[in-house]
Amino acid sequence: MIKLQKNVDCVLFSVPPILLLGPHLAPALLKAYAEDKGFRVVCYDPSPGIYSRLNSKEQEGWPYNNFEEVFKDKALLLEEVNLWLDEVFKYNPKIIGLSTHAWASKFFIEPISNEIRRRAPGVQIITGGPVALDLGIEWKQNGWVDHYVVGDGEEAFLELLSGGTNHPNIDGKIPVPISQEAFRALPEPDFSDSDVEYYKQKAKGNRLYLIGSRGCVFNCSFCNVPAMTQKYRYKDGVEFAREIMNAQERYNTNYIELADSITNAAPNEFRKMCHELIRLKEEKQLDPKIICFFRIRRAQITQEEDFALAAKAGICRLKIGVESGSFDVREHIGKKETNDDIFFSLEMCKKYGIKVNLLLIAGYINETEEMFQENLEFLREIKRRELDEAIEMVVVNELYISRRTPVFDFAKDTGVFDNIDPEDDLARDAWQTQLSNGEMLDPKIRRQRVHSLKKFVSENFVHLKNLLVFAADEKFSAETGS
Ligand code: B12
Ligand code: SF4
């Protein structure tokens, strides 16, 4: 039972939809940081409540629902928003901080803001989260928020709580990252306002999200993480292992999922973390199951003993962005590993019982029909080598050209957006281009490729538990294999 505080400095409100496997990490980090400095902050996440009021079909679609459709009755939406705000206003906050994660949050910002303004015109509204870099300025211009924060939020949040607006990330354009020293000094996230038991009861895959690094050492063409985070910072591997174990000891969730962009970006810290986890598992008699993003490296960098170590440390699932079986596609993306490096990593995962989530992109900007066939051939080879036994989940994404990515600049420079407004996030999905061999790559071909991959994987990877497909024409679809 959460003890009700009155007159808090800020309620951090997780703007829906939030995936219901575990508590939202960003507010828990901001709360811990601000409370350390003497402020009173409460985190509030309405997603479990909304979910409980959806019908079973809508619940199946969570968090990828079409909210325009779910809340086509605007009175229902206002009623819902006011239910959430009834909770928020119990704390009588000076500031309400809207924490966003996914673009879908866009739908809720305006009604939440209007209702806050109506009910409590004196309350300041601020926002942050990955979406703020793209949409914050518009929300401020519309008067929905007083300030938005781009990039790392801790220091800017503190400034806003203290009544200032001077930090460069407040209403900023290019995020200024906190330093490596400041990142290492951040307290562990404070999940005390989250009902962790709720997730444990509701979801078999319940987990706690933790983060040991910010940013990424790579700069893959399609990815906006480098622009959002600017600089790679990481915690000491030993310290982070202790944070993981503290969380496991306290909450005992089924999984711990690391929110790091890539957990093995600094291979030595990764090894240090694994060694300390192994030691602590023994000492505390705990057995956390850890899920994380993993980058395939050349076999000289990541060797068999690294996989053995990871498995012993409790890493049970790696999310691997292989993207394509065509080397030409991967090279354009900036992934120089060979197919043999990928097969080696999969083989090691299979050998040491680590499950793999394989992430693929269809319709990449230079992908000719021949390259796409190479991709299918690569998947056949995985099957022939029986490496699909290690693959538990496949996610197929149609290439989405995000702003602030190298592929966005490439598309602009090569005339791909000639008939499209590149700043229009929806219209951009219609991009087409003539490839170097004269072939056209247009939305229809991209979607056919998405569907060919989906078909191949669902028919051939028989150990699959989950297949997620993100294509522009079907927003999201999921299939469960045998
Ligand atoms: C972990 C993670 C997840 C976890 C979320 C775990 C959780 N419950 O917290 C899971 C796996 C559930 C997830 C799901 C999705 N994610 Co995600 N996720 C990430 C990831 C890897 C790290 C995010 C994170 O926790 N970072 C650490 C925290 C501390 O950073 P943060 O959230 O940005 O918060 C900081 C600041 O933004 C700021 N801040 C945040 N809120 C607020 C509020 C205020 C008031 C202030 C002042 C500041 C502030 O302060 C925080 C501390 O510095 C990022 C990629 C990356 N490396 O950043 C993608 C990323 C955020 N996800 C993304 C996407 C698209 C999704 C999905 C839609 C993917 C999908 N297609 O299914 C779903 C959304 C599902 C949903 N609705 O919940 C995109 C967002 C794209 C964008 N907006 O531009 C990212 C950037 C990945 C990418 N490059 O595409 N994700
Ligand atoms: S795709 Fe992954 S490895 Fe590549 S830049 Fe983004 S976070 Fe880093």
Side-chain angles (χ1 to χ4, degrees), residues 108-231:
F108 294 101
I109 291 286
E110 183 181 3
I112 293 173
S113 166
N114 287 345
E115 288 310 290
I116 296 174
R117 301 275 195 229
R118 187 181 63 77
R119 291 176 60 159
V123 166
Q124 196 181 36
I125 308 176
I126 60 172
T127 191
V131 183
L133 191 57
D134 282 332
L135 301 179
I137 187 161
E138 180 190 325
W139 296 349
K140 182 169 155 67
Q141 279 162 358
N142 290 342
W144 299 337
V145 300
D146 296 295
H147 298 289
Y148 61 91
V149 167
V150 298
D152 292 329
E154 284 82 359
E155 292 168 353
F157 183 46
L158 202 66
E159 170 85 356
L160 287 162
L161 288 172
S162 316
T165 54
N166 283 330
H167 192 280
N169 287 358
I170 301 174
D171 306 328
K173 280 203 174 75
I174 299 175
V176 176
I178 56 172
S179 66
Q180 165 80 347
E181 294 69 42
F183 179 64
R184 287 195 168 194
L186 292 181
E188 294 180 12
D190 179 342
F191 293 108
S192 58
D193 295 336
S194 299
D195 187 359
V196 177
E197 283 309 311
Y198 164 87
Y199 303 100
K200 287 170 76 170
Q201 279 160 22
K202 289 275 172 194
K204 232 170 91 193
N206 67 79
R207 61 200 64 178
L208 214 66
Y209 296 92
L210 298 174
I211 190 159
S213 64
R214 294 256 173 98
C216 187
V217 290
F218 299 102
N219 189 20
C220 301
S221 64
F222 60 83
C223 178
N224 58 6
V225 165
M228 282 187 325
T229 51
Q230 297 291 325
K231 198 172 149 203

Side-chain angles (χ1 to χ4, degrees), residues 200 203-208 248 251-256 287-290 316:
K200 287 170 76 170
K204 232 170 91 193
N206 67 79
R207 61 200 64 178
L208 214 66
Q248 181 67 18
Y251 296 105
N252 194 24
T253 49
N254 281 356
Y255 297 96
I256 299 275
D287 193 15
K289 294 195 196 73
I290 300 167
C316 67

